[in-house]
Amino acid sequence: MLSRVRNNAVRRNFGLGQAPCISSIITTATCPSAAGLSANSRVQQWHAQRTYRSTQALKAQKPSAGQMMREAMGILQSVGAADQTSEAKPKRTRTRKAKTAEEDVVNQDETAEPKPTRRKKAADSAEDGEEAKVENKEPKKRRAGRPRIHIPEPDSAEALKLAAKQAKREAAAAAKKRPSLKPAKITRSDEQSMLRPCVDPMQERLYDTELWSWLDYGRTSKKGLAPAPIRKYDRTRVHVTSEKMVDDVLDFMKPTLTRHQGCDIIDLNPGAGVWSTKLNDLLKPRTHLLLEPDAGFYEPMLEPLLARDGSKLIAKDGLVWAELLSVLTPEYLPHQKEHQYSADDVPERNDTLLVTANLGSYPKRRYSSFASATAMILYQFNHAIRSGALFQKYGLVRMLLWLDDEDKAAILPRMAQRRRRVAVDAELNCESITHVAGPDYSDIDPSKRLWFSRDINIDRSSALAALQRMREAGIQTPAGRETKILREVSQNPDSVVAAGETPITYDFRHQAEYEELLKDFEKGKIVLASEEYKAMIRMRIQIDSANKRFSNVHSNMVNFHRLVDEWRVAKAANDDKEIASIMERYKEWEKSFIALGSTACGDWFVQRDNLHLWKQKSMHWDRRAIEPLVIQSDEFFPHVPLSLLDIQPKAAHKVLRSMGPNSDRSGDMAEVLMRSIMAYTNSSMSKVLDRLAPGASEFVYPMCKSLVDPDQGGVPFPGAAEITVRGMSAWQFEDVLEQWMKWPFRPPLQDLISQLSDEYVEAEGEEGKFGGVSPEF
């Protein structure tokens, strides 16, 4: 009976339900009749085997079950200890002795007048001028219960001594905290509000609406709650408010904007209207359509712009395609003509139409599988160029987009590690994507940057090339809006080292902290074996180890480029014997390359891909005509910095434009192929082709001359040094797609679509191999 009660109690306490394995252990351990009092040896053996089997079964269960078992065994151990105590010494029952009448009277007197304490006696004797004498007596036994707390008098010697000890303990605890070597997350500054100070009248006007009171708690009676009449409007919008900044940006862009004089403007999310008004002043459009979903809220701010001829406010959301298509009609755009392009027709640029939009929001709103709704809109704008959808049906229409700086990196990456499908599609569909203005990335603290980076010498060479293009075009950056790297190369252009001439140079995340600790150590401020000294040693080991690895990578890459140059010369001379000798030396090089290890091989691929993209000018960033202007966060409301992108579409390759039922579906095939190929950005192209279809690398890869010809950006050697997907330029992708359509054994479109769902699952484990620079950078 006792066994059953205890089993049920354990089941209730731990939620075990029917738990025979635990029940057997509890029964064996708690019921004396089960094993302890049984004289039958077979019964004792049976209980022991049952306990052993139950314990082994629990070890094979999930951790949660094991945790409950450990808790149950803890209870049983305490029960066992209590039983042993009861056997050693019988438990004595506590009974309260009845009080007599005399004791009750004494207790009443004690309650009426409490007995003076020792501290009070000492104080009374001090007031009378008598010193309290403490007699030497034997120490009394400490009474059980809560210990008595001695609180010293304020400003006394004892209180000061205790305060000094506490300060010493806190200093020791702070010294034990090692400085973190992990990168800090990029978050908004906690030192200043995102709404205050308001530096221009438009910010004051927006601030007074209290729509963004959720960012400034305490302004309303209800914490962070906007007034009821305006609560229905979007409170995550970020607005351009600085007229001085807009003037600088438009003056900077004026040479390329003059061709749009008198055009039609489609303005999505104009908001407060500062950018829209200034753009209207410069271009003087014949039609200016302002699609604003919160038209009732922003109409008073847009009244000066709406008073002009051709300006019209439409209460529709231009980012909802159904509402946007309802405006793209002859009723609103009588001067525009739709085009139905076929695969043989080449779309032309339309300078009579300009699209501008404000996609900035804080916080960013996620949408489906995209990182934000802005990323989804960028993808659809980019896809509309190739298919001729939305406003691209009027021709190749230029777009000026304000968006978050992180969303910009997806379509305009600055390094190979972040070159994904959206960026490659943009290179296939756009003539140029220019970062006109935004926050200065090079001026950010290295510890707060993103993981990815590339060689500093490549960045400086790219900035110097952009500076030379600006000087040739007669473009000057307004004073105070230069980037940090532009100031460096303009002041001392001779100090720029050509990309690839020296080992990899990175701006280490903790380089500045290490240099500061080293100076303090040389001055004697840091002692040996201290936490600061240990942190300095760890940073030195990491930096020295990385520099040594980069030196080995550089020497290996120099040998590789030497083999490529020798192959180019031998190929031009048609010397087959020399080519065979070069291939033998390449195999030896490949063995030494693989022996470097995965980390060094990853650094090698990162440097090779970035250097290759820079030399080929494959990315829009390296082809930029201007260096972006630096803008500050307080030039927006709320104070969240945005970036301005200038996107100029181009006519895509014919193989990409052939889409729909009345074509060879090469455009649809290319869409599926690009999604499959870009799932393996770190893999070589030959391996990716074999994943798509067996035998594809044997036919398609050799036919793509741009992949194997060094003069066209290819690599003549097979194996480990083949060009990777992320290192391929736009024309190399076009070459692959064109040769794929010529392959007679290519799989049908339906099979590729069904295979696409499995590609991303396999790619998850593949992306981590040779993925990039080590985490300490």
Side-chain angles (χ1 to χ4, degrees):
M1 183 64 185
L2 177 62
S3 166
R4 188 181 306 170
V5 172
R6 287 175 178 172
N7 289 344
N8 294 335
V10 171
R11 291 193 186 102
R12 287 195 301 270
N13 292 336
F14 297 98
L16 298 179
Q18 298 297 328
C21 55
I22 295 180
S23 303
S24 61
I25 297 175
I26 296 175
T27 304
T28 306
T30 59
C31 184
S33 62
L37 299 181
S38 177
N40 193 337
S41 60
R42 292 186 177 183
V43 174
Q44 294 180 355
Q45 183 179 4
W46 180 85
H47 280 288
Q49 292 178 354
R50 186 181 181 187
T51 304
Y52 175 79
R53 287 195 301 268
S54 302
T55 307
Q56 295 299 322
L58 281 174
K59 291 182 180 179
Q61 290 182 358
K62 297 182 179 179
S64 58
Q67 180 66 22
M68 291 186 292
M69 180 59 193
R70 286 191 293 270
E71 295 178 358
M73 293 300 297
I75 294 177
L76 295 178
Q77 290 175 2
S78 62
V79 173
D83 293 341
Q84 293 176 3
T85 305
S86 61
E87 293 176 1
K89 184 178 181 180
K91 190 174 181 181
R92 183 179 299 176
T93 57
R94 295 183 62 183
T95 55
R96 180 171 295 180
K97 185 179 179 180
K99 295 182 179 181
T100 60
E102 297 178 358
E103 292 176 349
D104 192 16
V105 172
V106 171
N107 290 337
Q108 290 180 0
D109 296 338
E110 291 177 355
T111 305
E113 186 175 355
K115 187 177 180 180
T117 61
R118 184 181 301 176
R119 183 178 299 177
K120 189 173 181 181
K121 289 180 178 180
D124 295 339
S125 61
E127 291 178 359
D128 299 336
E130 299 178 359
E131 295 181 359
K133 297 181 181 179
V134 181
E135 299 179 359
N136 295 330
K137 297 181 180 180
E138 296 180 359
K140 296 182 180 180
K141 293 184 179 181
R142 192 168 184 177
R143 188 172 52 184
R146 187 174 180 181
R148 185 176 300 174
I149 301 175
H150 172 64
I151 302 177
E153 297 293 335
D155 299 334
S156 62
E158 187 178 1
L160 295 176
K161 187 176 181 180
L162 291 176
K165 289 183 178 180
Q166 180 65 20
K168 188 176 181 179
R169 283 195 297 268
E170 293 177 356
K176 290 183 179 180
K177 293 183 179 179
R178 298 179 178 179
S180 176
L181 299 180
K182 296 181 180 180
K185 295 182 179 180
I186 301 178
T187 57
R188 66 180 180 91
S189 176
D190 295 330
E191 286 76 19
Q192 60 180 2
S193 172
M194 301 185 67
L195 303 180
R196 285 290 188 180
C198 296
V199 297
D200 55 63
M202 183 55 68
Q203 291 187 7
E204 291 285 355
R205 190 171 181 179
L206 292 171
Y207 182 85
D208 292 338
T209 61
E210 297 188 357
L211 182 61
W212 290 269
S213 59
W214 66 281
L215 290 173
D216 190 15
Y217 293 155
R219 292 187 56 214
T220 56
S221 57
K222 296 182 179 180
K223 186 176 182 180
L225 191 62
I230 63 172
R231 206 173 297 164
K232 59 182 179 181
Y233 300 118
D234 188 0
R235 61 179 186 173
T236 63
R237 299 265 295 271
V238 179
H239 298 277
V240 181
T241 59
S242 175
E243 296 185 3
K244 177 64 170 57
M245 183 266 292
V246 174
D247 291 337
D248 292 341
V249 170
L250 292 178
D251 290 342
F252 196 56
M253 299 177 61
K254 193 172 183 179
T256 62
L257 288 175
T258 52
R259 68 174 188 258
H260 299 288
Q261 287 285 344
C263 66
D264 300 326
I265 297 179
I266 299 178
D267 199 342
L268 309 180
N269 291 350
V274 175
W275 166 257
S276 303
T277 303
K278 293 289 184 179
L279 188 63
N280 189 285
D281 293 339
L282 178 64
L283 301 180
K284 297 179 174 55
R286 59 190 176 187
T287 304
H288 194 165
L289 303 179
L290 297 99
L291 278 69
E292 177 53 60
D294 298 336
F297 184 77
Y298 295 106
E299 185 175 6
M301 306 177 191
L302 297 172
E303 285 182 355
L305 179 59
L306 296 176
R308 303 178 184 180
D309 297 336
S311 299
K312 186 175 182 180
L313 179 62
I314 303 174
K316 293 184 178 182
D317 191 349
L319 303 180
V320 177
W321 304 143
E323 298 186 15
L324 177 61
L325 292 174
S326 65
V327 178
L328 301 178
T329 59
E331 178 185 357
Y332 294 98
L333 297 170
H335 305 287
Q336 299 297 328
K337 180 182 178 180
E338 294 186 20
H339 300 280
Q340 298 293 335
Y341 294 108
S342 63
D344 297 328
D345 298 332
V346 179
E348 298 180 355
R349 191 174 70 184
N350 184 6
D351 292 335
T352 63
L353 181 62
L354 181 66
V355 175
T356 182
N358 184 353
L359 308 179
S361 64
Y362 181 85
K364 294 194 298 184
R365 295 168 291 184
R366 295 186 60 88
Y367 185 85
S368 185
S369 60
F370 294 92
S372 64
T374 302
M376 182 268 297
I377 295 168
L378 278 177
Y379 170 78
Q380 294 184 344
F381 278 173
N382 189 16
H383 189 270
I385 298 173
R386 186 185 306 173
S387 61
L390 301 178
F391 41 80
Q392 299 295 340
K393 65 183 179 181
Y394 300 116
L396 301 175
V397 179
R398 186 179 183 181
M399 294 174 284
L400 303 177
L401 307 178
W402 288 97
L403 69 163
D404 186 79
D405 190 68
E406 293 183 7
D407 294 325
K408 166 192 65 67
I411 196 172
L412 187 63
R414 301 187 179 188
M415 57 207 70
Q417 300 95 304
R418 303 202 67 176
R419 192 166 175 259
R420 301 286 180 169
R421 182 192 168 199
V422 176
V424 174
D425 284 343
E427 294 171 7
L428 294 170
N429 301 331
C430 300
E431 177 183 348
S432 65
I433 299 180
T434 306
H435 184 200
V436 181
D440 187 7
Y441 176 80
S442 61
D443 201 24
I444 299 177
D445 184 6
S447 63
K448 296 182 181 179
R449 295 180 188 172
L450 299 176
W451 282 110
F452 300 128
S453 60
R454 68 175 180 178
D455 190 357
I456 293 179
N457 293 328
I458 301 179
D459 290 334
R460 291 174 180 170
S461 300
S462 180
L464 182 61
L467 178 62
Q468 294 174 353
R469 300 187 194 104
M470 292 173 60
R471 289 176 177 174
E472 293 174 358
I475 302 175
Q476 293 184 354
T477 304
R481 297 202 179 270
E482 306 92 347
T483 59
K484 179 182 179 180
I485 194 169
L486 182 63
R487 292 193 301 268
E488 292 177 357
V489 300
S490 60
Q491 293 173 1
N492 193 3
D494 297 334
S495 63
V496 178
V497 180
E501 296 295 331
T502 60
I504 310 173
T505 305
Y506 284 113
D507 189 2
F508 293 99
R509 296 182 180 274
H510 296 276
Q511 182 71 35
E513 184 179 358
Y514 168 71
E515 293 176 356
E516 184 178 354
L517 290 175
L518 184 60
K519 291 179 181 179
D520 293 342
F521 176 73
E522 293 175 352
K523 295 178 181 179
K525 297 181 180 179
I526 298 178
V527 297
L528 296 176
S530 63
E531 295 299 330
E532 293 84 356
Y533 178 80
K534 295 177 182 179
M536 182 186 69
I537 295 301
R538 288 198 308 271
M539 295 177 188
R540 177 188 296 175
I541 292 174
Q542 289 186 356
I543 294 174
D544 292 346
S545 175
N547 288 330
K548 182 179 180 180
R549 189 172 68 248
F550 293 159
S551 179
N552 296 334
V553 167
H554 176 70
S555 61
N556 192 283
M557 189 169 297
V558 169
N559 296 333
F560 172 76
H561 288 157
R562 186 182 297 112
L563 290 175
V564 173
D565 295 337
E566 293 176 359
W567 186 94
R568 184 185 288 108
V569 174
K571 187 68 175 178
N574 293 326
D575 191 350
D576 296 338
K577 185 177 180 180
E578 181 64 20
I579 292 178
S581 176
I582 294 173
M583 294 301 295
E584 291 296 330
R585 294 200 300 271
Y586 166 73
K587 292 180 181 179
E588 296 178 0
W589 174 90
E590 188 177 20
K591 293 180 181 178
S592 63
F593 168 73
I594 297 176
L596 292 176
S598 59
T599 303
C601 289
D603 296 337
W604 190 92
F605 278 111
V606 168
Q607 176 69 356
R608 197 279 302 271
D609 293 341
N610 279 303
L611 192 61
H612 179 76
L613 292 174
W614 156 245
K615 291 181 177 180
Q616 300 295 322
K617 301 297 185 293
S618 300
M619 295 190 297
H620 284 302
W621 171 249
D622 292 328
R623 299 200 303 262
R624 64 190 184 277
I626 57 175
E627 186 72 14
L629 302 181
V630 177
I631 52 182
Q632 306 300 329
S633 59
D634 59 357
E635 294 174 323
F636 301 88
F637 187 88
H639 298 333
V640 179
L642 302 181
S643 293
L644 176 62
L645 286 187
D646 182 2
I647 302 177
Q648 177 58 61
K650 70 174 182 180
H653 194 275
K654 182 179 178 179
V655 72
L656 300 173
R657 299 197 310 268
S658 182
M659 305 175 69
N662 298 326
S663 64
D664 61 352
R665 308 298 294 270
S666 62
D668 300 323
M669 180 76 74
E671 178 72 17
V672 179
L673 283 175
M674 289 301 299
R675 293 179 63 184
S676 301
I677 290 172
M678 295 310 296
Y680 303 95
T681 57
N682 301 334
S683 301
S684 62
M685 195 63 203
S686 61
K687 293 182 179 180
V688 175
L689 289 174
D690 281 336
R691 285 192 181 102
L692 297 179
S697 61
E698 299 178 4
F699 178 86
V700 177
Y701 192 85
M703 297 298 294
C704 298
K705 301 301 180 183
S706 61
L707 298 181
V708 296
D709 188 0
D711 295 331
Q712 300 182 30
V715 177
F717 305 123
E722 286 183 10
I723 188 170
T724 59
V725 172
R726 68 184 180 188
M728 294 173 55
S729 58
W731 57 85
Q732 288 174 325
F733 280 107
E734 294 171 353
D735 193 7
V736 170
L737 297 175
E738 189 175 2
Q739 297 302 325
W740 178 276
M741 295 304 300
K742 294 179 181 179
W743 185 31
F745 303 105
R746 67 179 183 272
L749 179 63
Q750 297 83 350
D751 294 347
L752 283 178
I753 294 176
S754 62
Q755 181 185 352
L756 181 63
S757 59
D758 300 331
E759 294 293 330
Y760 295 100
V761 178
E762 298 178 3
E764 291 179 357
E766 194 72 22
E767 285 297 314
K769 186 178 180 181
F770 298 158
V773 185
S774 303
E776 62 259 24
F777 312 116

